[in-house]
């Protein structure tokens, strides 16, 4: 049996970027438990400054995660993206990026849709019969669509 994986992505606006990627991948943003967060504040384990209200819900300010809908109820999902707050600016090409497989959807149409939602087209390339677009999400993180 293989291991599960979580990929952590530094982000200036983790909740907005989690929303963007959840829509892009047709995944879901993990709900956060406002009652639990409130109890952590009341017990002195956290402060109100560590929280924000996002889409009408009390959440931890510094992070948001997404996962596939079929793993909604999993205690430990096999695939999870965690968007964590960082003020650091992106300073160069990503050493790691992910490829979004479009499952037959036209990649040029997908490119236009993503650009309409804030992505940037960086370049297009091919190798033999395989071609792809390299894009950047709204915060500049690189990914490919094919």
């Amino acid at each position: 049996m293989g291991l599960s994986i979580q990929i952590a992505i530094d982000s200036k606006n983790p909740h907005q970027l989690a929303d963007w990627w959840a829509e892009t991948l047709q995944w879901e943003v993990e709900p956060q438990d406002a009652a639990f967060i409130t109890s952590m504040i009341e017990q002195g384990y956290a402060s109100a400054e560590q929280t924000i209200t996002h889409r009408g819900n009390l959440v931890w300010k510094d992070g948001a995660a997404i996962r596939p809908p079929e793993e909604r109820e999993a205690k430990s999902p096999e695939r999870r993206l965690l968007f964590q707050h960082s003020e650091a600016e992106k300073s160069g090409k990503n050493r790691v990026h992910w490829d979004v497989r479009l499952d037959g959807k036209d990649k040029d149409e997908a490119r236009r849709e993503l650009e309409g939602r804030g992505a940037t087209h960086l370049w297009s390339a091919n190798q033999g019969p395989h071609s792809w677009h390299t894009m950047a999400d709204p915060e500049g993180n690189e990914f490919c669509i094919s």
Side-chain angles (χ1 to χ4, degrees):
M1 180 175 144
L3 300 175
S4 59
I5 187 168
Q6 170 176 279
I7 299 171
I9 300 100
D10 287 348
S11 173
K12 293 243 184 211
N13 298 295
H15 293 278
Q16 290 87 346
L17 201 56
D19 290 344
W20 193 89
W21 274 106
E23 182 177 345
T24 297
L25 296 174
Q26 300 172 356
W27 286 16
E28 297 179 356
V29 175
E30 289 181 358
Q32 294 190 33
D33 185 344
F36 172 76
I37 294 170
T38 300
S39 75
M40 291 294 98
I41 294 168
E42 290 170 350
Q43 295 175 60
Y45 293 112
S47 68
E49 292 76 29
Q50 293 175 297
T51 69
I52 61 169
T53 300
H54 179 70
R55 295 186 183 249
N57 299 309
L58 182 67
V59 296
W60 295 115
K61 177 174 69 175
D62 287 340
I66 66 172
R67 62 172 74 180
E70 63 271 17
E71 296 186 42
R72 173 185 301 135
E73 303 303 323
K75 190 168 188 139
S76 273
E78 290 185 26
R79 299 168 290 165
R80 184 176 193 251
L81 297 179
L82 172 65
F83 298 87
Q84 59 188 13
H85 182 259
S86 173
E87 287 297 325
E89 294 291 336
K90 184 174 181 293
S91 61
K93 183 183 180 319
N94 290 14
R95 295 289 307 266
V96 173
H97 72 269
W98 48 89
D99 295 340
V100 178
R101 296 186 183 141
L102 299 173
D103 293 331
K105 183 175 182 178
D106 181 82
K107 70 180 164 302
D108 295 321
E109 180 182 325
R111 172 188 161 181
R112 287 188 294 276
E113 289 173 4
L114 290 165
E115 288 173 323
R117 294 181 39 245
T120 303
H121 175 255
L122 300 176
W123 66 83
S124 297
N126 68 292
Q127 186 173 44
H130 186 68
S131 63
W132 61 92
H133 295 306
T134 300
M135 311 284 294
D137 72 16
E139 289 199 9
N141 301 301
E142 297 159 19
F143 65 99
C144 293
I145 57 173
S146 63

